[in-house]
Amino acid sequence: MTSFRRMGVVAVFGLCPIAACSSDESTPASYPVDAASDRGTAPVTDAAEGGGPLPVEGVPASETLHASVLSAPIDIVRDEWGIPHIYGATLADVSFGQGYIVARDRFAQMELARHQAAGTIAELAGALSPATVDGDIRIRAHHLQKTASDGLEALKASTDPRDRAMVSALASFTAGVNMYLEELRTGRRSVPEDLVTFLGLSQAAPWTELDSLALGELQAFNLAFDADSDITATLVEEKAAVVFDRASDPVLLARKGLAADLQILAPLDPTYTLRGWTGMNGDTSTASVGRPSADGHALALLEADRASVIDLGNDRWLHPSLGSNNWIVGPKLSASGHSLVANDTHLSLGNPSTFYMVHLSARSGAIPINVMGVAFPGIPGVILGMNDHIAWGATVNNIDVTDVYRETIVTCDDGSSPCVEFRGAKVKLVPRVESFNVGGLGTTGKTVTVTLYDVPHHGPIIPRATKTHDGVEPLASTELSIRYTGHQFAQLARAQIGLDTASNMKEAVAALDRDFKYGGQNWVIGDDHGNFGWTEVIRVPRRAAGHAPWKVLPGDGSAEWAGELHPKYIPHAYNPAQGFIATANNDPIGVTDDGDPFFGEPVVDGAPLYLGAQYDPGTRIGRIVKRITAMTATGNKLSLDDLQSIQADAVTEWGQAFLPTLLDAANALSQEVASPGSHPELATVVPLATADVKRVLPQLLPMLNGWTFDTPSGAPEDNPTPEQVRDSQATVVTASWIAHYYNAALGDEIGKLGVDPGSTYGLKLLARASAHPELLRTGIDSTTHDPVIFDDLTTPAVEGKRQIATSALLATIGDLVVQVGADPAAWRWGQLHTLTLKFSVSLLESLQLPRQNDAMYPHGFPRHGYFGTVDVAGRGPSTTDFTYSSGPAIRFVCELDPVNGPRARNALPGGEVFDPTSPHYRDQIELWRKNKTFDLAFRAADVVASANKEYAANKLGRIRFEP
């Protein structure tokens, strides 16, 4: 999953897959109270149809409200964690309750999100930051609202009873939100004053069905769109060709091939979900096609247009820590004999949290439903969670569904209109006039009007905002356009409601495969019959042979899509013999193992099979699979506790990869300090060793030699063992040293290149140069016998690996003495590695967790983990600022018991209610940051028990809505 991005002074929150709508308008349901005390004999369902009260009527009432849109009464109760459980007759009725209660708890988040989806952030913040209109222009180019509107009209035109019920539910959700807004306008409800002042919430426009569907389009866009990857890959390649490959200076020319080394596609850990293409039986396939020569592009255009797409969508170059983990365990490896599901989605960690937990239960109508999980505020339904019979999780699959084309702009034959050259003809661009209001605090200062252009057969021309933030630059003779599968609508909402109401794994897979056409996810799904499966089926273009799809393509017609890849080739698995399925944004089948995911793959019907090129380095999937394999190798079976233990795994495979080089540097430096001349290559380094270095260095070696590669915080509140203290100290040293080593080795080349290739790619190059230099495309220096990249371009001397590594160690020790003190015995990872949950609007520091100057956590919550650990917690390897802001947005595990119903746990990084006066503002973060969870109340008896606890503790009782 991915996240809403920071635009100017406003950052709008995190996300994951799609939209959702639901509905129904039939007869009221009836619910006898579930009084069963023996879960072993109670039925899975909470009610049968036919007279009786709603199941939570025994919870004391706090409010009775009226809503004419309802077909029958609904009840909303909160459990002891503030999660609303909504019971009613139909899906439309409970959707009204969801709209009302999520707005009451999270409307500030919803308001920011809908402005981002609409490209109207400048209406809120333009007066404070004029550059916000540039972000609005960037997002408006992709017409998310038009796509959502097309989908809504198609849904409304459908005569299918389920589609009509969904339309009804979407309208009811909207009515629920607007009931809350009316209460806010009339003063019956209130929000923190800071939010009223900045966002003007009491004057917010009414919510619409289109707002919800546009949020779904934005979620999908943020999960799949990746134009920056294509442009950056091309920019790195072409700048390296100019700076190094064609250099006259022999020192620079020695780095010929650096572009390939800075774009290593093979993973660090070659662990895959499956091995090899699915669907190949009986196909006639040829070996491969030849690699074409480079197709040069204008560097100035690439650089200018990159500024317009960077941080837009799923920008893996900029945010390598965003992603997710999920895995599913079948009955043969499960201690209970039931399927087990685990999912932790790695998104931006802010306050409020990305997700909102909710439980919807309606047993009547065209779409009966009983589902619980997390939703995106503003989108009805549940996106990740469980119902009576299935549970599921999702991770971004990184399938490449975005292509960038280089267009030649010419004047059309009418003598005035702009055209592109395509297949020997002129094709007229389609203009779109867009207006942007720029203001803030309820006022509009000015209106900016721009003309955007679309290439009919590709998509929008990338707009370049002017430096004065008042428009876009005119078309040039060459432009870049973007083709993205999500520019054509799909019924994402129908996919979600199909998932929410599926009765088994195959039904869920069928719903997703039919309608979830973009916003690519790895879905793992288990059911209470013991089935477990995986699908990542979406709309995947078939690319033309001869052009690398992950780089900028020629727009002349030679690199066009040829329909969609048949779903049988898109990786999937159902009840595999290995007994489990795991995904973590990794290469799913090993297409990158040789560094080439396209030209070396099988060719079917004239096109190479191709999924994607840029995947996670494999450290998370590697650890997950290693843990599952180790736990079950001797016949042991897995429980929910085991799944949570894996979610909390903080062993660093990057640390494993780099420790030998660090130890070599530390030992050699110690020996040279003690016996000058023992390592002559360090003769120029040792004089730089300060008294602190000489004092601290002997204390580091025992830490590093004993490191288990775990990365605990070492914070006193965690009561660390002596081994955990040593691991924590070793993590401090190694993480700081990797940052200094990275910059010392690659900073000069990247500076000369003038474009950052992305920290993941730089780290993969550094790992290969340190351990397997024979695999590099760049050369080996004849003097040092080390890769030439270790030679510092800014000095006259020729440095080797050990010199760079020991220089980095000197800098590390100097930094750590300043940051965490002179005594290494007191160093702890949690002193540097901290998390603060911040509200999107950076000016509102009062809404961050922990608060500024918190007596206990003045610098944020101390945390374990590192870049690329399973419990991911890093901002990148090239910085010594170890605070971070992305990680697991949920910690969901579930066991699918066919007799007693699903048993699940979860926790949010924050709380349900975005109001500092609420008892549920920050209660869940206290569990989450300790990698703990709570049991989810799902059965009616458990909901009633927990709701009664909530009433006893906080006097928050049942809300009854009458028609």
Side-chain angles (χ1 to χ4, degrees):
M1 309 254 141
T2 185
S3 68
F4 291 116
R5 302 296 186 211
R6 188 166 299 275
M7 315 261 304
V9 298
V10 178
V12 201
F13 301 59
L15 67 150
C16 160
I18 59 189
C21 317
S22 348
S23 61
D24 192 356
E25 62 281 347
S26 313
T27 27
S30 50
Y31 298 79
V33 174
D34 181 359
S37 59
D38 181 359
R39 288 182 58 92
T41 59
V44 171
T45 57
D46 293 320
E49 297 193 26
L54 295 174
V56 291
E57 287 192 358
V59 178
S62 293
E63 297 178 83
T64 299
L65 303 172
H66 295 274
S68 60
V69 69
L70 297 175
S71 69
I74 64 172
D75 279 335
I76 303 176
V77 297
R78 292 189 190 274
D79 64 25
E80 61 204 280
W81 296 99
I83 301 169
H85 300 256
I86 306 169
Y87 294 87
T90 66
L91 183 54
D93 289 345
V94 296
S95 293
F96 173 89
Q98 183 182 9
Y100 174 81
I101 202 68
V102 71
R104 192 159 148 175
D105 290 348
R106 298 281 192 92
F107 187 71
Q109 185 178 14
M110 293 165 60
E111 176 74 344
L112 285 168
R114 72 164 162 175
H115 276 282
Q116 190 185 9
T120 57
I121 288 291
E123 291 181 4
L124 299 176
L128 292 173
S129 175
T132 53
V133 74
D134 303 347
D136 286 343
I137 291 170
R138 294 196 302 160
I139 198 70
R140 198 92 64 94
H142 297 283
H143 52 75
L144 300 183
Q145 284 201 307
K146 174 63 165 59
T147 305
S149 178
D150 290 346
L152 178 59
E153 292 308 309
L155 198 62
K156 286 181 175 179
S158 173
T159 58
D160 183 280
R162 285 177 65 91
D163 287 350
R164 297 184 68 81
M166 289 171 59
V167 171
S168 176
L170 182 58
S172 292
F173 179 92
T174 300
V177 176
N178 287 330
M179 180 174 178
Y180 166 75
L181 290 181
E182 180 61 24
E183 292 180 341
L184 194 60
R185 276 189 289 271
T186 58
R188 181 169 180 183
R189 306 291 173 198
S190 62
V191 295
E193 188 61 31
D194 285 346
L195 295 178
V196 174
T197 300
F198 190 86
L199 299 177
L201 295 185
S202 58
Q203 288 83 43
W207 195 261
T208 70
E209 290 97 328
L210 187 58
D211 288 331
S212 290
L213 291 187
L215 287 185
E217 294 298 328
L218 179 63
Q219 299 289 11
F221 183 83
N222 282 339
L223 293 164
F225 180 88
D226 68 339
D228 185 33
S229 298
D230 293 31
I231 293 175
T232 304
T234 305
L235 190 58
V236 168
E237 181 176 68
E238 297 198 3
K239 291 203 79 169
V242 172
V243 174
F244 300 115
D245 295 9
R246 297 195 290 270
S248 57
D249 182 343
V251 175
L252 297 178
L253 186 61
R255 287 155 174 80
K256 182 177 181 180
L258 185 62
D261 288 340
L262 283 172
Q263 297 184 77
I264 296 170
L265 300 180
L268 180 78
D269 185 325
T271 300
Y272 309 108
T273 303
L274 296 179
R275 188 69 182 179
W277 288 94
T278 58
M280 293 302 295
N281 290 343
D283 272 29
T284 301
S285 303
T286 58
S288 63
V289 294
R291 179 184 295 276
S293 58
D295 178 20
H297 302 279
L299 290 177
L301 177 63
L302 292 169
E303 291 177 321
D305 277 11
R306 188 185 181 218
S308 297
V309 297
I310 194 169
D311 208 10
L312 199 62
N314 181 18
D315 192 339
R316 295 184 293 276
W317 292 76
L318 194 63
H319 299 284
S321 291
L322 294 178
S324 301
N325 304 318
N326 66 14
W327 61 96
I328 188 164
V329 176
K332 79 175 185 180
L333 298 182
S334 164
S336 64
H338 307 140
S339 296
L340 308 176
V341 176
N343 190 200
D344 53 291
T345 56
H346 302 160
L347 304 171
S348 295
L349 297 175
N351 186 32
S353 60
T354 295
F355 290 118
Y356 180 79
M357 289 199 208
V358 69
H359 177 193
L360 306 173
S361 186
R363 297 294 188 181
S364 298
I367 307 180
I369 193 169
N370 189 37
V371 64
M372 184 175 185
V374 295
F376 294 114
I379 302 177
V382 165
I383 189 60
L384 300 170
M386 62 186 182
N387 64 28
D388 288 323
H389 301 291
I390 71 168
W392 66 94
T395 71
V396 171
N397 61 27
N398 286 345
I399 290 178
D400 184 0
V401 295
T402 310
D403 281 342
V404 178
Y405 289 91
R406 181 170 58 95
E407 309 283 0
T408 299
I409 309 297
V410 295
T411 301
C412 298
D413 291 340
D414 63 12
S416 60
S417 303
C419 280
V420 294
E421 293 182 345
F422 184 71
R423 292 177 174 167
K426 294 180 180 180
V427 178
K428 189 175 181 179
L429 296 179
V430 179
R432 280 189 283 138
V433 177
E434 300 277 356
S435 294
F436 302 83
N437 294 325
V438 181
L441 303 179
T443 64
T444 298
K446 65 176 181 178
T447 298
V448 173
T449 300
V450 305
T451 299
L452 305 175
Y453 290 96
D454 294 306
V455 178
H457 46 277
H458 289 153
I461 296 284
I462 296 176
R464 294 181 295 277
T466 60
K467 294 181 180 179
T468 51
H469 313 300
D470 58 359
V472 297
E473 294 179 3
L475 291 173
S477 60
T478 305
E479 294 287 354
L480 300 180
S481 69
I482 300 174
R483 190 172 186 183
Y484 160 59
T485 58
H487 286 150
Q488 175 188 352
F489 82 87
Q491 293 296 353
L492 305 180
R494 189 163 61 201
Q496 179 174 315
I497 199 64
L499 185 60
D500 285 353
T501 59
S503 62
N504 56 55
M505 180 266 289
K506 287 191 175 181
E507 282 186 11
V509 167
L512 292 167
D513 288 358
R514 181 186 67 176
D515 289 316
F516 194 80
K517 294 300 185 183
Y518 48 90
Q521 298 290 291
N522 290 293
W523 301 95
V524 295
I525 306 163
D527 66 28
D528 58 5
H529 297 292
N531 297 304
F532 61 109
W534 162 54
T535 181
E536 59 174 15
V537 169
I538 53 172
R539 193 183 286 155
V540 180
R542 293 179 65 242
R543 274 28 182 254
H547 301 280
W550 63 95
K551 297 178 182 176
V552 175
L553 301 171
D556 59 8
S558 63
E560 299 307 295
W561 296 357
E564 297 174 14
L565 188 65
H566 192 287
K568 69 181 180 180
Y569 299 116
I570 302 173
H572 57 271
Y574 312 120
N575 298 325
Q578 67 185 21
F580 71 93
I581 304 168
T583 83
N585 319 116
N586 54 289
D587 175 351
I589 57 174
V591 292
T592 59
D593 56 356
D594 63 353
D596 190 337
F598 184 70
F599 293 108
E601 297 306 310
V603 173
V604 175
D605 297 330
L609 295 182
Y610 172 70
L611 293 172
Q614 297 157 346
Y615 292 99
D616 183 85
T619 58
R620 288 182 286 114
I621 186 69
R623 281 295 300 169
I624 292 166
V625 169
K626 290 179 182 70
R627 289 288 307 273
I628 292 173
T629 303
M631 287 177 172
T632 58
T634 58
N636 292 329
K637 307 287 186 175
L638 299 174
S639 66
L640 291 185
D641 289 343
D642 294 321
L643 269 58
Q644 289 188 272
S645 171
I646 298 172
Q647 285 182 337
D649 190 280
V651 166
T652 169
E653 291 196 350
W654 287 113
Q656 290 174 300
F658 283 108
L659 184 63
T661 302
L662 173 54
L663 281 173
D664 174 77
N667 282 310
L669 184 60
S670 296
Q671 292 161 10
E672 181 63 18
V673 168
S675 303
S678 56
H679 294 284
E681 71 277 16
L682 301 184
T684 59
V685 177
V686 170
L688 303 176
T690 64
D692 280 334
V693 169
K694 294 176 181 177
R695 176 180 53 79
V696 167
L697 186 59
Q699 300 176 65
L700 301 188
L701 286 168
M703 298 175 188
L704 298 173
N705 280 309
W707 191 23
T708 70
F709 304 108
D710 196 11
T711 58
S713 76
E717 66 181 16
D718 293 336
N719 299 312
T721 65
E723 182 181 69
Q724 289 172 326
V725 168
R726 185 193 64 223
D727 281 348
S728 183
Q729 293 165 338
T731 305
V732 170
V733 175
T734 306
S736 182
W737 174 81
I738 287 175
H740 284 289
Y741 184 48
Y742 183 103
N743 290 313
L746 301 180
D748 52 339
E749 281 87 4
I750 292 174
K752 183 70 70 172
L753 193 65
V755 56
D756 189 337
S759 56
T760 297
Y761 289 93
L763 204 59
K764 284 202 280 188
L765 164 56
L766 194 56
R768 184 169 286 187
S770 299
H772 295 287
E774 72 280 3
L775 299 178
L776 295 177
R777 296 285 292 276
T778 45
I780 303 296
D781 185 86
S782 59
T783 303
T784 64
H785 305 294
D786 288 326
V788 294
I789 65 161
F790 288 115
D791 175 29
D792 188 345
L793 289 170
T794 66
T795 68
V798 178
E799 292 87 1
K801 180 178 74 170
R802 184 176 282 167
Q803 287 168 284
I804 293 297
T806 52
S807 295
L809 185 55
L810 297 185
T812 294
I813 294 171
D815 269 4
L816 292 178
V817 167
V818 172
Q819 291 186 70
V820 286
D823 181 9
W827 294 353
R828 301 291 186 273
W829 183 224
Q831 294 171 292
L832 299 174
H833 189 243
T834 61
L835 171 66
T836 299
L837 308 177
K838 296 182 179 181
F839 180 54
S840 312
V841 182
S842 59
L843 302 177
L844 303 184
E845 295 174 344
S846 61
L847 295 173
Q848 73 178 40
L849 295 174
R851 293 284 296 270
Q852 272 198 326
N853 304 316
D854 183 286
M856 194 168 212
Y857 308 109
H859 307 297
F861 298 119
R863 290 284 295 139
H864 73 180
Y866 181 58
F867 179 78
T869 55
V870 174
D871 192 5
V872 70
R875 62 189 301 169
S878 60
T879 176
T880 55
D881 178 357
F882 297 112
T883 60
Y884 73 103
S885 59
S886 62
I890 57 173
R891 299 193 192 281
F892 177 66
V893 295
C894 183
E895 176 185 336
L896 289 153
D897 187 331
V899 176
N900 301 319
R903 184 167 66 95
R905 304 169 186 167
N906 209 339
L908 298 177
E912 277 282 282
V913 182
F914 188 50
D915 183 346
T917 66
S918 168
H920 304 299
Y921 176 63
R922 60 171 291 172
D923 51 345
Q924 293 185 44
I925 187 62
E926 297 305 320
L927 292 176
W928 180 96
R929 67 190 186 86
K930 300 293 184 182
N931 288 85
K932 296 179 180 179
T933 59
F934 55 89
D935 292 333
L936 297 180
F938 184 60
R939 284 170 49 84
D942 298 327
V943 173
V944 169
S946 189
N948 280 326
K949 287 184 183 178
E950 172 69 357
Y951 183 77
N954 299 311
K955 294 299 180 282
L956 295 175
R958 177 169 51 92
I959 303 173
R960 161 60 63 96
F961 282 90
E962 298 282 356

